Amino acid sequence: MARSRSNPWLHRFAVLMAAATLCLVCIGGLVTSHGAGMAVPDWPTTFGYNMFFFPISKWVGGIFYEHTHRLVASAVGFLTIILAAWLWIKEGRRWLRWLGVLALAAVIVQGVLGGLRVTWMKDELGIFHATLAQMFFVLVCSIALFSSRWWTENREPSGDPAELSLLRRISIFGTVLILLQLVLGATMRHQHAGLAIPDFPSAYGQLWPATDPASVARYNQLRSEVAAVNPITGFQIVLQMVHRISALAVMIVLGSAAWLSLRRLRRNSLARKLSIGWALLVVCQVLLGAATIWTNKSADIATAHVAIGALLFVNGTFLVLVCSRCLWKNGPVEINLPAGVAHRVMRQRTVEVPA
């Protein structure tokens, strides 16, 4: 079969798979928010049953969330096999075919990590499992972007290359910060210690809470009397404060990207739209983070917080890729040649990086 760089149905399938992966991330968030990670104690079976034949009548309580998570994960794994095969057969760009193989390898590792989290009962594996889920989601969304008509046929004016280059650097920095935030969030969620700091925007009524042993003991006594939750440590309090400070840094960086785009980029450019969307998403994320504390980790709100975090990560990655694509497509290529030779080359042809 002939390979091509333009395949609308492949792109639509990649978008469908990205949506299914986001659904899986949300269900995984519900599992953690409801404390249902060990509701099913065996793997790959479910209470001794083949997971696909587990009786619906037994889908109750935490078992419902954990078993549904397994079924949706299996569906995403099956879709990944189809995507990788489709890319390998029909996609003309070799690097994109290998991205499909990478996605398949990632989903296999993700499934094994989820199973080992159950059989080994290691919270640390849950942190890696949650982080890899976010990175897999970004990978699948990137494949959808690479297979889109915009990417293969982009003729959008790039604007000032210097401004795009600056926006790309800001976007890279912001995306890395978001990834660190996701790792911090996964670490806090999988420690099963409830909210290490129960108030916001203050922290135990202070700008920075005390973390000495006596203060931590007082916090734990109050937590036990009020909510009967697990005790916390000074490290967990510091971890949550770092998460809050990092969130402020993310807001500043994403706000800077939006400000630059509004002032310097063309009105209808994709990079500008992504920058504005990025800023709006981070505002929603901060509000959801505050609401998570104010509602004592309401499962639905905490899960929405996870989902918006995933979308922030994808948006940042898209912005980096879109800026890079515009620079590759329209920007000048610097060649270190003698002045006379360089002048003749520029008169004869325009150098362009292939898609």
Side-chain angles (χ1 to χ4, degrees):
M1 285 182 282
R3 287 174 172 169
S4 171
R5 285 185 3 183
S6 178
N7 193 324
W9 282 106
L10 174 59
H11 170 65
R12 294 184 187 110
F13 184 81
V15 171
L16 171 65
M17 187 177 160
T21 305
L22 179 60
C23 179
L24 178 59
V25 169
C26 291
I27 295 175
L30 284 172
V31 170
T32 305
S33 298
H34 286 281
M38 295 300 296
V40 180
D42 53 332
W43 180 83
T45 55
T46 300
F47 291 101
Y49 289 88
N50 181 307
M51 75 168 71
F52 301 108
F53 299 104
F54 184 63
I56 296 179
S57 60
K58 298 181 182 293
W59 294 22
V60 294
I63 296 173
F64 170 80
Y65 296 106
E66 173 61 12
H67 186 62
T68 302
H69 180 62
R70 293 185 180 192
L71 293 180
V72 175
S74 299
V76 169
F78 181 69
L79 292 176
T80 307
I81 294 172
I82 297 175
L83 179 64
W86 198 339
L87 285 168
W88 196 262
I89 294 171
K90 298 294 291 183
E91 175 55 50
R93 290 163 289 182
R94 183 178 179 183
W95 59 269
L96 188 51
R97 297 200 300 272
W98 280 107
L99 276 186
V101 174
L102 179 61
L104 180 58
V107 82
I108 292 172
V109 172
Q110 180 73 338
V112 172
L113 277 176
L116 293 179
R117 165 68 182 86
V118 173
T119 57
W120 290 3
M121 294 184 289
K122 294 284 188 180
D123 289 338
E124 295 82 359
L125 289 178
I127 298 171
F128 287 108
H129 184 63
T131 304
L132 181 57
Q134 300 277 0
M135 299 181 75
F136 175 76
F137 179 48
V138 166
L139 176 59
V140 172
C141 290
S142 298
I143 291 174
L145 174 63
F146 296 144
S147 61
S148 67
R149 177 177 295 181
W150 185 93
W151 186 270
T152 56
E153 302 179 6
N154 173 43
R155 291 179 176 84
E156 178 181 285
S158 64
D160 185 353
E163 302 294 347
L164 275 174
S165 181
L166 176 59
L167 179 59
R168 181 173 62 175
R169 290 195 295 271
I170 294 174
S171 304
I172 291 172
F173 184 55
T175 304
V176 171
L177 277 180
I178 290 169
L179 176 58
L180 293 176
Q181 277 290 85
L182 293 174
V183 173
L184 285 173
T187 302
M188 293 188 297
R189 286 170 60 81
H190 286 83
Q191 287 180 341
H192 304 290
L195 291 172
I197 302 174
D199 53 332
F200 181 85
S202 62
Y204 289 103
Q206 304 177 57
L207 185 61
W208 184 278
T211 56
D212 58 279
S215 297
V216 173
R218 186 172 68 254
Y219 300 153
N220 281 320
Q221 183 180 2
L222 180 63
R223 287 163 59 85
S224 178
E225 292 172 353
V226 174
V229 292
N230 296 332
I232 57 171
T233 64
F235 172 76
Q236 290 170 334
I237 295 173
V238 172
L239 192 66
Q240 191 161 120
M241 289 301 299
V242 171
H243 188 63
R244 294 185 181 191
I245 294 171
S246 299
L248 178 60
V250 169
M251 283 192 68
I252 294 172
V253 173
L254 271 56
S256 300
W259 180 83
L260 175 63
S261 299
L262 286 170
R263 287 178 56 87
R264 302 293 184 179
L265 298 188
R266 296 176 182 269
R267 181 177 298 275
N268 294 322
S269 67
L270 182 56
R272 175 173 169 153
K273 293 175 183 177
L274 287 171
S275 298
I276 296 172
W278 213 19
L280 294 175
L281 280 174
V282 79
V283 171
C284 292
Q285 181 72 335
V286 170
L287 292 175
L288 284 170
T292 300
I293 296 173
W294 295 334
T295 61
N296 195 29
K297 283 185 69 176
S298 169
D300 294 341
I301 293 177
T303 301
H305 190 58
V306 172
I308 297 298
L311 292 175
L312 276 168
F313 193 21
V314 168
N315 194 307
T317 303
F318 272 18
L319 189 53
V320 173
L321 293 173
V322 166
C323 289
S324 299
R325 180 62 174 150
C326 291
L327 289 168
W328 295 336
K329 189 73 176 178
N330 303 307
V333 178
E334 295 183 4
I335 305 175
N336 295 320
L337 296 175
V341 176
H343 178 69
R344 288 196 297 273
V345 170
M346 293 304 294
R347 288 181 58 187
Q348 291 174 6
R349 62 179 180 175
T350 300
V351 180
E352 203 174 80
V353 178

